[in-house]
């Protein structure tokens, strides 16, 4: 499946000789990842083709005359599609030519040189571990360093991942995004505009039964137990009174294995918890608490009159979904530079079982994280089917359809068709430090 790359806006800049070029702001999982020129991407594409041949997606052609506004929008759209499609080949995704290119771009964009630093990585039980890294170390490399330091079996590293986590003064936290393996966590941490963020290690699978694959490693059991206890303590997982009593007895007895066996039966154990958000079901503007896991999106929706309705959307009945990346510009007090105030929504098409389909919309800043979880559940399901039926040919749903490139845009579609939305954007700048100048959004 395609990665959550998006290029919501671009900017005209002047080079040292007075010539004009376009600088593209590339976002990954809804966060600014790097800024890049067309010429850099073109050279990178040539490098990839020398290594991998003609298996790459088409690259937008050069224009030798000045581009019109529509041509510029089309190129931006094509570059976004290209960046989304290239990592679909796992051999390219793991290659040095892919990883090195984005490492250099991230460092160059945020002016961070390679040097040794200390990084605190938070563990599921609330503790943190301090490790020495290079600022140019990828998330994959840092995960390996943490795993070695805490004694996690190398064969089990793939069950865990690094996340960007936001903490508050009251001890609550939100998982903001899963870090890509080629992402530089130190750079992401330094460059994010989200306050009070930390890098955290957490398990990364949506099927709670996969806990059984880790039970022979004491370190893995400690990590699972810490995260399970955290979910119970924060009421993300919802045990019955009897289950809570039994879990507390096992905790006091120090029996982590039995604790993890029992917690498998607890509602919403192992789910990814999202912040309170709004949705359009059963009516627009409803406040909802959502969690995703175990092949479903579970929602507790506040209704008028302080009533609460529980709704579970099963993955088997979701036909497609889309993340829409919306944004406005905010003036900073200390100068002409402008910052991005983004709003995200995830829409999915759902069947009620009567061969009719309905669209539901969730408005949440964690829309890309939710989309990652949906993709993870699909991949786990496919792997399970492949293991049970080795000779079965399984076709992964592909993206179809395109949207006109805009700041109000279609950033990711999984499965089948989606009716596109159209809008226009105009970005012009003569200020060297101004990423965005003006934006006009029409037909939203």
């Amino acid at each position: 499946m395609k990665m959550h790359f998006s290029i919501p806006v671009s900017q005209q800049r002047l080079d040292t000789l007075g010539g004009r070029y376009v600088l593209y702001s590339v976002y990954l999982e809804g966060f600014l990842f790097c800024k890049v020129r067309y010429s850099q991407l073109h050279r990178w594409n040539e490098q990839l083709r020398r290594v991998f041949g003609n298996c790459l997606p088409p690259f937008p052609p050069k224009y030798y005359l000045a581009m019109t506004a529509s041509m510029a929008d089309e190129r931006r759209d094509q570059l976004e599609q290209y960046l989304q499609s290239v990592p679909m080949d796992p051999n390219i995704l793991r290659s040095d030519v892919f990883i090195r290119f984005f490492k250099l771009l991230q460092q160059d964009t945020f002016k961070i040189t390679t040097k040794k630093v200390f990084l605190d990585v938070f563990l599921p039980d609330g503790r943190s571990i301090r490790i020495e890294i290079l600022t140019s170390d990828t998330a994959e490399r840092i995960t390996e360093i943490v795993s070695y330091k805490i004694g996690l079996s190398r064969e089990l590293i793939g069950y865990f991942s690094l996340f960007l986590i936001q903490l508050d003064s009251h001890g609550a936290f939100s998982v903001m995004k899963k870090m890509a393996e080629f992402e530089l966590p130190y750079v992401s941490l330094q460059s994010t505009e989200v306050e009070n963020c930390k890098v955290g290690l957490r398990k990364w699978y949506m099927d709670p039964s996969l806990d059984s694959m880790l039970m022979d490693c004491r370190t893995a059991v400690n990590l699972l137990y810490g995260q399970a206890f955290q979910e119970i303590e924060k009421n993300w997982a919802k045990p019955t009174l009897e289950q809570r009593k039994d879990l507390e007895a096992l905790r006091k007895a120090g029996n982590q294995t039995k604790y993890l066996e029992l917690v498998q039966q607890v509602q919403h154990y192992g789910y990814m918890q999202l912040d309170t958000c709004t949705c359009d079901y059963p009516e627009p503007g409803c406040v909802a608490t959502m969690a995703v896991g175990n092949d479903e999106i579970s929602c507790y929706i506040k209704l008028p009159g302080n009533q609460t309705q529980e709704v579970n959307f099963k993955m088997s009945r979701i036909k497609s979904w889309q993340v829409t990346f919306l944004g406005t510009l905010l003036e900073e007090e200390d100068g002409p530079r402008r910052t991005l105030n983004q709003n995200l929504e995830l829409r999915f098409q759902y069947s009620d079982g009567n061969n009719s389909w309905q669209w539901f919309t969730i408005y949440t800043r964690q829309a890309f994280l939710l989309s990652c979880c949906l993709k993870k559940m699909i991949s786990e399901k496919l792997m399970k089917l492949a293991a049970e039926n080795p000779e079965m040919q399984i076709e992964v749903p592909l993206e179809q359809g395109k949207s006109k490139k805009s700041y109000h845009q279609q950033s990711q579609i999984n499965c089948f068709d989606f009716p596109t939305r159209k809008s226009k954007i105009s970005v012009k700048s003569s200020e060297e430090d101004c990423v965005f100048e003006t934006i006009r959004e029409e037909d939203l």
Side-chain angles (χ1 to χ4, degrees):
M1 295 182 183
K2 294 183 178 181
M3 297 197 72
H4 288 137
F5 275 116
S6 56
I7 307 178
V9 289
S10 59
Q11 174 205 9
Q12 286 191 7
R13 304 285 286 267
L14 295 176
D15 60 25
T16 55
L17 300 177
R20 291 186 177 274
Y21 67 91
V22 177
L23 190 66
Y24 297 95
S25 295
V26 178
Y27 283 68
L28 179 61
E29 310 295 346
F31 287 76
L32 180 61
F33 184 63
C34 64
K35 297 176 184 178
V36 62
R37 296 174 62 169
Y38 171 87
S39 59
Q40 292 173 296
L41 290 170
H42 185 272
R43 287 193 295 270
W44 180 56
N45 175 68
E46 294 299 313
Q47 293 174 345
L48 288 172
R49 290 192 183 280
R50 285 195 290 270
V51 177
F52 297 101
N54 295 323
C55 64
L56 291 164
F59 188 80
K62 285 185 177 181
Y63 294 122
Y64 294 96
L65 299 176
M67 290 189 296
T68 64
S70 62
M71 293 167 67
D73 282 343
E74 182 180 17
R75 170 177 280 184
R76 185 152 50 92
D77 181 68
Q78 291 171 341
L79 287 173
E80 181 181 271
Q81 294 294 326
Y82 176 83
L83 289 177
Q84 290 177 354
S85 299
V86 166
M88 291 179 68
D89 186 332
N91 294 321
I92 297 178
L93 182 61
R94 300 189 188 102
S95 67
D96 288 340
V97 66
F98 182 95
I99 295 172
R100 178 173 172 76
F101 177 72
F102 281 114
K103 285 174 64 173
L104 294 175
L105 274 182
Q106 290 174 80
Q107 289 185 273
D108 181 65
T109 297
F110 300 106
K111 312 302 180 187
I112 295 179
T113 59
T114 299
K115 61 182 179 181
K116 288 184 178 181
V117 294
F118 288 100
L119 178 69
D120 291 325
V121 178
F122 284 77
L123 303 179
D125 61 3
R127 296 181 297 117
S128 65
I129 180 172
R130 175 162 289 188
I131 57 174
E132 186 178 34
I133 65 165
L134 294 175
T135 55
S136 58
D137 280 339
T138 63
E140 181 180 31
R141 172 60 178 161
I142 291 176
T143 303
E144 291 174 348
I145 295 172
V146 173
S147 299
Y148 176 80
K149 192 161 185 178
I150 64 178
L152 178 64
S153 173
R154 190 175 184 85
E155 292 75 20
L156 301 179
I157 292 178
Y159 290 94
F160 296 86
S161 185
L162 294 182
F163 293 83
L164 189 66
I165 297 173
Q166 184 182 32
L167 305 174
D168 69 14
S169 58
H170 303 292
F173 72 87
S174 303
V175 179
M176 300 305 301
K177 64 173 288 189
K178 176 193 173 296
M179 292 188 168
E181 290 187 349
F182 57 87
E183 187 173 350
L184 307 185
Y186 179 85
V187 176
S188 296
L189 194 60
Q190 297 300 313
S191 62
T192 182
E193 294 183 353
V194 180
E195 297 180 349
N196 302 321
C197 277
K198 306 292 183 182
V199 175
L201 181 76
R202 300 179 68 79
K203 69 178 184 181
W204 177 231
Y205 50 87
M206 310 306 298
D207 181 358
S209 67
L210 290 176
D211 282 2
S212 61
M213 305 296 293
L214 288 73
M215 300 306 290
D216 291 334
C217 174
R218 171 46 53 187
T219 300
V221 169
N222 289 339
L223 293 173
L224 294 181
Y225 173 78
Q227 191 162 331
F229 179 74
Q230 182 186 74
E231 292 178 16
I232 297 294
E233 188 178 47
K234 294 183 177 298
N235 203 34
W236 295 348
K238 305 183 184 302
T240 63
L241 290 177
E242 183 177 353
Q243 287 173 335
R244 187 179 294 275
K245 180 180 178 180
D246 292 340
L247 288 169
E248 180 62 17
L250 292 171
R251 185 191 69 81
K252 290 181 177 179
N255 195 333
Q256 294 182 344
T257 301
K258 290 293 185 181
Y259 187 100
L260 289 172
E261 290 177 359
L262 177 58
V263 81
Q264 287 279 333
Q265 305 170 24
V266 174
Q267 184 185 26
H268 294 170
Y269 165 66
Y271 285 39
M272 180 69 74
Q273 186 76 25
L274 303 183
D275 294 344
T276 300
C277 57
T278 59
C279 63
D280 65 353
Y281 179 85
E283 58 185 67
C286 287
V287 176
T289 301
M290 298 192 177
V292 57
N294 202 21
D295 289 328
E296 68 176 9
I297 303 173
S298 179
C299 309
Y300 287 91
I301 303 172
K302 292 184 179 180
L303 303 176
N306 292 325
Q307 295 179 322
T308 300
Q309 179 181 359
E310 181 180 1
V311 181
N312 296 314
F313 297 99
K314 300 297 183 182
M315 281 299 297
S316 59
R317 293 186 176 182
I318 294 179
K319 180 181 180 182
S320 61
W321 72 87
Q322 171 196 13
V323 174
T324 304
F325 197 167
L326 312 174
T328 56
L329 296 178
L330 297 177
E331 294 281 1
E332 290 189 352
E333 296 180 357
D334 57 353
R337 188 179 181 88
R338 291 181 174 183
T339 57
L340 174 65
N341 176 34
Q342 67 182 40
N343 297 294
L344 301 172
E345 67 176 39
L346 184 142
R347 307 178 72 216
F348 62 94
Q349 193 176 20
Y350 192 78
S351 171
D352 59 7
N354 296 320
N355 293 323
S356 62
W357 298 90
Q358 182 177 351
W359 286 97
F360 296 92
T361 305
I362 301 169
Y363 305 92
T364 170
R365 64 175 182 167
Q366 296 162 301
F368 282 107
L369 176 64
L370 175 55
S371 182
C372 279
C373 294
L374 300 182
K375 291 198 295 182
K376 188 67 172 177
M377 288 191 290
I378 288 178
S379 65
E380 289 175 1
K381 193 71 170 180
L382 294 176
M383 290 177 63
K384 187 174 182 179
L385 290 174
E388 294 173 351
N389 304 278
E391 298 181 358
M392 178 184 295
Q393 293 185 353
I394 302 175
E395 184 176 351
V396 179
L398 298 177
E399 286 188 311
Q400 298 182 13
K402 295 182 179 179
S403 66
K404 192 67 179 176
K405 194 73 217 93
S406 62
Y407 203 64
H408 179 131
Q409 68 158 337
Q410 174 179 320
S411 297
Q412 177 74 39
I413 300 177
N414 291 74
C415 314
F416 312 121
D417 289 327
F418 179 78
T420 63
R421 301 181 180 188
K422 295 184 179 179
S423 60
K424 298 179 181 179
I425 185 168
S426 173
V427 180
K428 299 179 181 179
S429 176
S430 58
E431 295 291 335
E432 186 68 15
D433 294 328
C434 181
V435 178
F436 313 102
E437 182 60 26
T438 58
I439 289 184
R440 292 185 297 106
E441 297 183 341
E442 302 171 359
D443 303 323
L444 298 185

